[in-house]
Amino acid sequence: MDCSEEVQSLSDEASTPIELKKGMSIFLDILRRADKNDDGKLSFDEFKAYFSDGVLAGDELKELFHAIDTHNTNNVDTDELCEYFSQHLGEYENVLAALEDLNVSILKAMDKTKKDYQEATHLEQFVTRFLLKETTSQLHSLQRSLECAMETTAEQTRQERQGPVKPEVLPIQWSGRRSNRRLQRNNSLSPNNPLLNLVNSGLYEEDNQWITQINRLQKLIDRLEKKELRLEPVEEEVLGSSTKSHILIVQRQLSVLEEEVEEFRLALRQYMDCASTQTGCLHVAVQRLANESRFILYEFWEQSNVWKNHLQTNYSKTFQRGNVDFLETPEIMTTMLVPASWWVLNNN
């Protein structure tokens, strides 16, 4: 074989895609969702934003990043992800392989249902609906078991470290809309979907009293930002040593991709329903700016510690993880403590 043939052979070998072991395709999806600038690799900022779980500290995440980056390029690619995690999968290797088969089977069933359902008899349609419901129930049951395991392991690690570690997430400059290699979702909502109608029916319209209070707080923040303003209280309020002397207000600004607005609203509605039932949550409200796909979420909490515990709940992490796909730019979060007596006065 002459030199040119050898070079060609090496070139062909380099261009041949590496065959992934069964179950490892999940890491292709992980890289796709975490890779915000679509360059086919993860910078440390992108890695940190996706893999931060509220337990590992920033320096530990950096250590993990460099352990995965065996090519020492300060970037992580799919091969490196697969190489690292394949050494630590254990029993989860079988789980991921089963999930891969399950995903293929469900997609085939959905495609078959889409083709045959309209022409089926009423009894056959009932059987299809019944099987869909039972399949969903079984998957939800598995999901609840996994969520319980996630919360238990995270809580165990926090207790071992004698207190929660504040998660660190660096803002990432996103390059506008995601490219066309974003995979199309298989569970896109139909315009006739009852969940979509429920979202659009006015559940996002908060009562006028709350809107007024939120606007007053926003105006107060704007006034406080003016340097020439001098605050001279009419009455001096003496605060006790109680930890409940203040309440925490959290403002979250979320700029959503236009094509993801409806799915984001469903996820937001679920998050708000869960948060509002959490012990220590006084109120949750949301506003959407006119003619923009931008939402402002307000959360009122009895204490800062209660809010920090809320951040570690599974529903909060699920909402945060979903925002990786939904948001056009990184979320902006601000917090402010206000006297608890203001809350008491407003609610009397």
Side-chain angles (χ1 to χ4, degrees):
M1 182 171 60
D2 60 24
C3 183
S4 61
E5 291 176 343
E6 184 177 354
V7 172
Q8 180 64 33
S9 176
L10 292 174
S11 176
D12 292 341
E13 182 179 349
S15 62
T16 302
I18 297 177
E19 184 177 349
L20 295 176
K21 291 174 58 179
K22 187 149 189 178
M24 300 301 289
S25 60
I26 184 177
F27 294 101
L28 293 176
D29 186 56
I30 288 174
L31 188 133
R32 176 188 63 82
R33 289 184 285 131
D35 180 18
K36 292 306 175 183
N37 61 2
D38 292 320
D39 62 355
K41 55 193 175 184
L42 301 183
S43 65
F44 176 66
D45 287 350
E46 291 172 323
F47 178 89
K48 191 173 186 180
Y50 188 88
F51 284 89
S52 177
D53 66 349
V55 179
L56 280 185
D59 55 344
E60 292 173 311
L61 279 170
K62 194 152 196 171
E63 181 182 349
L64 174 62
F65 176 82
H66 288 300
I68 298 175
D69 179 25
T70 55
H71 298 161
N72 297 320
T73 59
N74 287 324
N75 289 289
V76 168
D77 58 30
T78 306
D79 293 342
E80 291 173 319
L81 279 177
C82 292
E83 176 65 24
Y84 179 83
F85 282 98
S86 64
Q87 302 172 33
H88 305 279
L89 288 179
E91 287 300 317
Y92 286 94
E93 182 175 354
N94 296 329
V95 173
L96 295 181
L99 284 175
E100 193 171 296
D101 289 337
L102 178 62
N103 185 54
V104 172
S105 298
I106 289 178
L107 290 178
K108 286 182 178 178
M110 294 297 96
D111 187 57
K112 182 72 172 174
T113 299
K114 181 179 178 181
K115 293 177 180 178
D116 298 346
Y117 185 79
Q118 195 68 31
E119 303 299 327
T121 66
H122 290 306
L123 290 179
E124 290 172 335
Q125 289 181 345
F126 164 76
V127 171
T128 298
R129 295 194 304 273
F130 174 78
L131 292 176
L132 284 170
K133 182 182 73 172
E134 288 304 311
T135 301
T136 302
S137 177
Q138 292 296 321
L139 291 175
H140 281 170
S141 179
L142 288 172
Q143 180 180 351
R144 285 191 293 270
S145 298
L146 290 170
E147 289 173 348
C148 181
M150 286 170 56
E151 292 179 354
T152 301
T153 53
E155 181 61 28
Q156 180 179 343
T157 302
R158 284 195 295 271
Q159 290 178 357
E160 292 173 353
R161 296 178 176 223
Q162 298 180 347
V165 179
K166 184 177 180 182
E168 295 184 47
V169 179
L170 294 180
I172 303 173
Q173 298 300 321
W174 294 8
S175 56
R177 300 289 191 270
R178 300 299 303 273
S179 70
N180 291 331
R181 69 186 184 87
R182 164 190 282 270
L183 300 181
Q184 183 177 2
R185 297 178 184 273
N186 294 307
N187 58 342
S188 298
L189 293 177
S190 163
N192 298 322
N193 191 301
L195 288 176
L196 186 56
N197 293 334
L198 183 64
V199 173
N200 294 328
S201 62
L203 290 177
Y204 276 79
E205 296 298 329
E206 300 294 333
D207 60 273
N208 291 333
Q209 178 182 359
W210 279 110
I211 297 298
T212 302
Q213 295 295 334
I214 291 171
N215 289 337
R216 287 176 58 191
L217 286 169
Q218 186 64 58
K219 290 179 180 178
L220 176 60
I221 293 173
D222 293 339
R223 291 175 57 198
L224 289 173
E225 289 178 346
K226 296 181 179 178
K227 296 181 179 179
E228 69 274 13
L229 181 67
R230 295 180 59 194
L231 297 178
E232 297 180 358
V234 177
E235 295 184 9
E236 182 177 313
E237 183 177 1
V238 179
L239 299 177
S241 58
S242 171
T243 58
K244 296 185 178 181
S245 59
H246 290 83
I247 64 171
L248 179 72
I249 300 176
V250 181
Q251 181 196 68
R252 306 175 65 173
Q253 300 184 43
L254 306 147
S255 296
V256 183
L257 291 163
E258 292 181 4
E259 64 269 22
E260 302 287 357
V261 167
E262 299 306 334
E263 289 192 59
F264 170 78
R265 293 178 74 176
L266 285 174
L268 178 60
R269 181 76 265 172
Q270 185 177 19
Y271 169 79
M272 292 175 63
D273 289 342
C274 292
S276 61
T277 60
Q278 185 81 0
T279 301
C281 180
L282 300 173
H283 188 70
V284 182
V286 66
Q287 290 181 320
R288 180 179 179 180
L289 300 186
N291 302 320
E292 293 185 39
S293 55
R294 182 178 169 207
F295 297 77
I296 302 180
L297 181 64
Y298 295 90
E299 302 176 17
F300 299 75
W301 296 89
E302 284 185 354
Q303 302 176 45
S304 297
N305 288 339
V306 174
W307 174 64
K308 291 178 181 178
N309 291 335
H310 147 77
L311 292 178
Q312 303 305 322
T313 60
N314 188 66
Y315 70 84
S316 178
K317 291 181 180 179
T318 299
F319 179 66
Q320 192 69 26
R321 182 61 58 85
N323 287 342
V324 172
D325 284 335
F326 294 143
L327 300 188
E328 180 179 6
T329 57
E331 172 184 342
I332 300 176
M333 181 184 295
T334 55
T335 61
M336 180 175 68
L337 290 171
V338 298
S341 59
W342 294 8
W343 178 267
V344 175
L345 290 173
N346 281 314
N347 281 275
N348 287 335

